[in-house]
Amino acid sequence: MIRLENISKQNGHQLLFVEASAAVQRGEKVGLVGPNGAGKSTLFRLITGQDVPDEGQVSIDRGITIGYFSQDVGEMSGRSAVAEVMEGAGPVSVVAAELRELEAAMIDPDRTDEMDEILARYGEVQARYEELDGYALDGRAREVLAGLSFTPEMMDGDVGNLSGGWKMRVALARILLMRPDAMLLDEPSNHLDLESLIWLEQFLKGYEGALLMTSHDREFMNRIVGKIVEIDGGSLTSYSGDYEFYARQRALNEKQQQAQFERQQAMLAKEIQFIERFKARASHAAQVQSRVKKLEKIERVEPPRRREAVSFDFPPAPRSGEDVVTLKGVAKRYGSRSIHEGLDFQIRRRERWCVLGVNGAGKSTLLKLVVGATEPDEGSVSVGGSVKTGYFAQHAMELLEGERTVFEFLEDSFPQAAQGSLRTLAGCFGFSGDDVEKRCRVLSGGEKARLVMARMLYDPPNFLVLDEPTNHLDMATKEMLIEALARYEGAMLFVSHDRHFLAALSDRVLEITPEGVHAYGGGYTEYVARTGREAPGLRS
């Protein structure tokens, strides 16, 4: 249904595709993978016609509808979230807009003389709306928004008042409600909480159209896709299977290619040695000439392309006392809304707590109470002896000084550190070469997150408090972070919607529910096995 045939594409001096080919068939669910900057977003633009290849062609079957969700959602305001979502549903959205205008006109005291005409027109438009199944569409729009964690108040409020992350969800809901023949989803798992992520996973599993998506969440991709298309070095390679199969197959292919390369290099070295040794002897002239011709005809095996693997080791953190943080009888309220009441909770040295709870349950508020970023209305929060806390919060990225470069930011943070050491640190977190000269104001969300994390982990605390640390991180950086944190010997308290991160690092679970707080020994995997659900509020 979608075919890319021998496409080539160059952006500036960068060759993104060189005679690359791939296809997406009806009903296929395909994961698109590749290093940052490989051309994933460009590929989406080529399919939607927003960009054209320099050579080759993109073919789409006649009559196919395509829905494209990208991270650039544009401006939204002046309409409710429901109206904004329904706007993407085609002709019915135009009728719905007129219906709303007529309803406003019916209660406008300045238009009483036109009431007969307004009522007559309202009857016609309402009939057309019913014919197009508009009332069911409103219900479906609300169902999709509810799945993405919108409250009824948020659904009916002005979409312009929502944060950027919630506007992303509105844009995603538009595509899901549209149910096109093919969906192109660029990082749909960003900005979603765990409950929304699991709902989206179920929705996409039941979607009957074709799907091509990128995601930095390996668990999410594993559960949905049955095929992987990899962009690497200008080519497109297809693998039948989920992300785990692709990762294993790619590693096996690289190992085989490396072995072939080494065997051929050994053979070439032997032949060249013979030629060098006997080229001056007339008695061996025919043999030498024969081997020279043989070498000229051999097709050279290339070594596998090495992906730059990053790793980071924590310097040892100072040891804390056994009791890290103790909360006793803690209450926290915002106006008339009670977030926590009578909360008792303790973290001890080397414990790794993940916090689960539905959207708005108070996960981030708990983290702020623990680090002292907010004070309890009742009760006490006491920090143990020799505890040195590192706190990663989303708002920390907003505090980066815009005109400072990445390297200047690290130098300011660690004036005594050697330049080589800071450059190694920057490289571990994805800032290599000229990237260290980027000004903070031009960094993407992912780059800002990596920079804040680099500063926090270079001079390691013995207690880490992390609020959604993997947002915006690509798979390679996320794996590096998981491996580093697995070796970390301090205590941890964290919130994350990434199930791979939760399973790899937690050894205790704190579940916040409307009925109260429940603690579970064992990590996230044991929590799922014990409760039969992957997140609070979901039916088992």
Side-chain angles (χ1 to χ4, degrees):
M1 103 193 267
I2 299 172
R3 291 171 300 282
L4 300 108
E5 298 165 346
N6 297 315
I7 60 164
S8 296
K9 182 68 180 175
Q10 184 167 345
N11 276 353
H13 296 297
Q14 187 185 10
L15 274 171
L16 293 176
F17 301 107
V18 182
E19 296 184 352
S21 298
V24 178
Q25 308 299 340
R26 287 179 186 275
E28 271 191 330
K29 293 183 170 65
V30 182
L32 183 62
V33 302
N36 282 346
K40 297 189 288 291
S41 295
T42 299
L43 191 72
F44 283 141
R45 289 198 299 273
L46 290 171
I47 293 171
T48 56
Q50 296 172 18
D51 206 342
V52 292
D54 299 332
E55 293 175 15
Q57 66 177 18
V58 178
S59 307
I60 296 164
D61 288 354
R62 190 186 298 276
I64 292 298
T65 56
I66 293 178
Y68 174 38
F69 168 75
S70 75
Q71 295 293 303
D72 183 15
V73 299
E75 190 48 49
M76 292 181 187
S77 65
R79 274 197 292 243
S80 69
V82 169
E84 190 70 44
V85 170
M86 288 172 63
E87 182 69 18
V92 69
S93 63
V94 178
V95 179
E98 188 178 356
L99 207 56
R100 287 192 299 273
E101 286 171 13
L102 290 165
E103 284 167 353
M106 285 158 65
I107 57 170
D108 185 348
D110 296 333
R111 300 188 66 180
T112 43
D113 331 348
E114 306 168 57
M115 201 53 65
D116 289 344
E117 293 90 339
I118 291 169
L119 287 169
R121 180 59 185 159
Y122 185 77
E124 292 168 10
V125 175
Q126 192 176 42
R128 177 63 177 147
Y129 192 60
E130 286 174 358
E131 188 184 312
L132 291 169
D133 210 16
Y135 289 108
L137 186 71
D138 181 273
R140 278 172 42 217
R142 290 177 185 277
E143 189 181 325
V144 170
L145 286 168
L148 296 175
S149 297
F150 280 76
T151 62
E153 294 76 23
M154 292 168 72
M155 292 181 201
D156 292 314
D158 188 337
V159 74
N161 296 330
L162 298 175
S163 68
W166 285 99
K167 285 179 180 174
M168 288 266 190
R169 297 190 196 204
V170 171
L172 177 59
R174 279 177 69 132
I175 305 300
L176 301 182
L177 182 68
M178 179 184 170
R179 281 188 176 263
D181 299 314
M183 277 194 221
L184 311 181
L185 303 182
D186 193 0
E187 293 295 342
S189 52
N190 272 3
H191 303 286
L192 296 185
D193 53 73
L194 186 54
E195 292 72 31
S196 302
L197 193 64
I198 293 167
W199 177 87
L200 178 60
E201 189 177 282
Q202 294 304 319
F203 183 98
L204 293 176
K205 279 182 183 176
Y207 167 64
E208 293 178 357
L211 173 67
L212 179 64
M213 73 170 190
T214 63
S215 177
H216 291 151
D217 187 323
R218 63 190 287 168
E219 190 67 31
F220 178 69
M221 192 176 289
N222 269 336
R223 296 182 184 206
I224 295 168
V225 307
K227 176 178 169 180
I228 295 287
V229 171
E230 179 193 51
I231 307 178
D232 194 18
S235 63
L236 293 169
T237 308
S238 296
Y239 296 79
S240 293
D242 61 12
Y243 183 83
E244 292 298 333
F245 172 82
Y246 150 75
R248 289 194 303 271
Q249 193 61 43
R250 190 182 197 285
L252 180 63
N253 292 352
E254 283 186 353
K255 190 175 178 182
Q256 290 172 341
Q257 191 176 344
Q258 181 66 29
Q260 282 181 324
F261 173 73
E262 287 172 3
R263 281 197 301 272
Q264 189 181 71
Q265 290 299 303
M267 181 272 290
L268 292 173
K270 193 174 176 183
E271 293 295 314
I272 290 167
Q273 187 180 25
F274 179 91
I275 291 165
E276 289 299 318
R277 184 176 175 189
F278 294 110
K279 66 182 178 184
R281 296 190 189 178
S283 59
H284 287 73
Q287 286 176 283
V288 167
Q289 199 59 34
S290 169
R291 294 197 182 199
V292 167
K293 285 180 180 175
K294 177 184 166 186
L295 287 188
E296 286 171 354
K297 289 178 182 175
I298 287 175
E299 189 174 333
R300 298 293 197 264
V301 175
E302 294 292 326
R305 265 189 220 96
R306 294 292 179 201
R307 291 246 178 120
E308 202 173 315
V310 291
S311 61
F312 178 77
D313 281 314
F314 283 92
R319 179 177 169 139
S320 71
E322 286 302 314
D323 295 339
V324 176
V325 174
T326 304
L327 285 74
K328 286 186 178 174
V330 165
K332 184 65 186 176
R333 306 175 193 95
Y334 292 110
S336 61
R337 187 165 168 243
S338 175
I339 307 295
H340 296 293
E341 288 289 343
L343 174 61
D344 294 324
F345 176 51
Q346 184 175 50
I347 301 172
R348 296 175 65 80
R349 191 172 75 87
R350 300 189 72 168
E351 289 181 345
R352 296 158 173 258
W353 287 89
C354 72
V355 185
L356 301 179
V358 297
N359 204 47
K363 301 186 294 291
S364 293
T365 300
L366 173 63
L367 268 54
K368 288 175 183 173
L369 286 163
V370 165
V371 300
T374 190
E375 294 295 321
D377 296 321
E378 293 171 20
S380 64
V381 178
S382 54
V383 178
S386 305
V387 171
K388 179 184 175 189
T389 302
Y391 177 40
F392 177 87
Q394 297 302 312
H395 72 81
M397 298 184 289
E398 297 161 17
L399 304 178
L400 295 173
E401 193 181 328
E403 291 307 312
R404 304 298 281 168
T405 67
V406 166
F407 194 73
E408 286 169 344
F409 172 79
L410 294 174
E411 274 191 318
D412 293 346
S413 304
F414 308 107
Q416 305 302 317
Q419 287 213 350
S421 171
L422 292 183
R423 286 190 182 277
T424 301
L425 173 69
C428 285
F429 284 85
F431 299 102
S432 53
D434 293 341
D435 287 343
V436 295
E437 300 306 325
K438 281 185 176 178
R439 299 201 183 278
C440 290
R441 61 179 162 75
V442 304
L443 298 180
S444 67
E447 287 171 326
K448 287 178 180 176
R450 295 202 306 267
L451 183 55
V452 169
M453 209 167 286
R455 177 178 65 176
M456 184 176 70
L457 300 183
Y458 185 67
D459 181 21
N462 49 32
F463 177 39
L464 279 177
V465 180
L466 310 173
D467 194 357
E468 294 288 3
T470 61
N471 272 3
H472 306 292
L473 297 186
D474 60 39
M475 283 197 193
T477 309
K478 205 180 287 186
E479 286 301 322
M480 178 274 287
L481 182 63
I482 288 171
E483 287 172 18
L485 291 175
R487 296 189 295 271
Y488 170 68
E489 296 189 349
M492 284 174 61
L493 177 69
F494 62 93
V495 173
S496 176
H497 67 253
D498 188 296
R499 286 161 290 179
H500 179 51
F501 190 87
L502 289 168
L505 296 172
S506 61
D507 60 18
R508 284 163 175 75
V509 174
L510 187 73
E511 180 189 56
I512 304 175
T513 71
E515 292 75 42
V517 170
H518 309 286
Y520 294 85
Y524 177 73
T525 305
E526 289 84 351
Y527 164 84
V528 174
R530 191 179 301 180
T531 64
R533 60 180 186 268
E534 295 187 283
L538 293 179
R539 290 185 185 138
S540 47

